[in-house]
Amino acid sequence: ENLKREEVARHVGLSSSHFAHLLSTFTGKSFRKILTELRVEKAARLLNQSNCSLTEIAFDCGFSDQSHFSRVFSKATRQSPGDYRKRRDR
């Protein structure tokens, strides 16, 4: 799902700007950064626990396509999703 800060803020009863301020104050991170971290963490779990394709994992974790997923995952973990999974299989 393409989550937007405005939608999440509305869901918890806050304005978008106040929600962003609270996130930044308490975590030191933006909504986008936190969301990306959560998506990468979920992808890492799925890579370790399932045999789903990289495309399935990308979509399941909220990435728009496998290429974008691979770039983001590689930047966050310093290894490609495929290499991350191969490490599990050793």
Side-chain angles (χ1 to χ4, degrees):
E1 186 174 335
N2 186 15
L3 290 176
K4 294 187 170 115
R5 184 185 73 202
E6 294 78 12
E7 294 169 353
V8 176
R10 187 173 39 250
H11 183 74
V12 297
L14 298 171
S15 71
S16 179
S17 60
H18 187 60
F19 180 64
H21 173 74
L22 290 174
L23 283 176
S24 178
T25 298
F26 289 104
T27 68
K29 300 174 185 174
S30 69
F31 174 77
R32 177 78 40 215
K33 177 76 173 161
I34 293 168
L35 183 60
T36 299
E37 287 175 357
L38 291 170
R39 287 177 171 170
V40 168
E41 288 172 14
K42 180 178 180 181
R45 280 193 309 274
L46 290 173
L47 287 166
N48 279 326
Q49 299 170 354
S50 77
N51 291 318
C52 294
S53 71
L54 296 181
T55 300
E56 289 173 303
I57 290 173
F59 289 131
D60 191 40
C61 295
F63 292 95
S64 56
D65 59 64
Q66 182 185 338
S67 177
H68 178 65
F69 162 61
S70 292
R71 280 192 308 276
V72 172
F73 189 91
S74 296
K75 184 177 178 183
T77 65
R78 299 179 190 236
Q79 55 188 321
S80 71
D83 288 344
Y84 189 89
R85 176 175 271 167
K86 284 178 192 171
R87 186 185 65 154
R88 168 197 77 174
D89 295 334
R90 288 184 195 163

